[in-house]
Amino acid sequence: MKLWALNVCVACILAGALDLFLPRQGSFKSIKTVLALYILVSVVTPAAGADWTGLASLSFETSVQPADYSDYVSGYACQSLAVQTQARLAAAGIQAQVQIEPGSGEAAPKVTLFTNQPQEALELAKELLGETGYSWETAEPKT
């Protein structure tokens, strides 16, 4: 790379020096064109000797895997569902705290109802969420 940059600099210096010493009459435009072509050829010449097969064999694939947000999304969905269920229970006159833990693998999500009215809360929650697809549990309220 350093050698290529040196060649380009030398070509520019030589072209500039020749431009200073050549007459400004007659074929001045054609001489300027030839000098510009000389500089371009000195820039492009190293590309002819480059190892293009080595460049083509470079892999542009990255080993970085996309982030997996599925646990975050399922946790957020369970939290939102718990808040909505708790609000519906409160609207029915049942004071309860609802906790829904996402399932892992083939295990169903676990719904825990913390209430003093376990039977009523369980029936209404099963009606709201559906009886299947969840494992159910009731417990005394958290203090």
Side-chain angles (χ1 to χ4, degrees):
M1 189 64 138
K2 289 179 183 180
L3 183 62
W4 174 76
L6 180 66
N7 285 339
V8 171
C9 289
V10 168
C12 289
I13 291 170
L14 286 177
L18 285 174
D19 184 40
L20 288 175
F21 294 117
L22 292 174
R24 303 265 184 241
Q25 309 157 359
S27 59
F28 183 69
K29 287 184 179 181
S30 59
I31 292 173
K32 285 284 236 189
T33 303
V34 169
L35 291 176
L37 285 174
Y38 170 70
I39 292 172
L40 284 175
V41 166
S42 67
V43 168
V44 175
T45 301
D51 180 22
W52 295 106
T53 56
L55 182 64
S57 68
L58 290 177
S59 175
F60 293 104
E61 295 178 16
T62 62
S63 61
V64 176
Q65 298 296 321
D68 181 18
Y69 293 106
S70 59
D71 290 339
Y72 173 76
V73 170
S74 63
Y76 184 76
C78 286
Q79 180 184 8
S80 177
L81 188 59
V83 169
Q84 292 174 14
T85 305
Q86 186 170 326
R88 294 288 300 268
L89 289 170
I94 301 171
Q95 293 303 315
Q97 292 179 336
V98 181
Q99 179 179 344
I100 302 176
E101 298 174 9
S104 58
E106 294 190 23
K110 179 182 174 186
V111 179
T112 307
L113 303 170
F114 299 95
T115 182
N116 288 328
Q117 302 167 300
Q119 192 59 33
E120 295 88 359
L122 190 59
E123 286 177 14
L124 185 56
K126 283 183 178 181
E127 182 181 318
L128 293 172
L129 299 175
E131 235 178 281
T132 59
Y134 297 95
S135 66
W136 298 92
E137 183 178 290
T138 58
E140 290 295 316
K142 294 180 180 179
T143 56

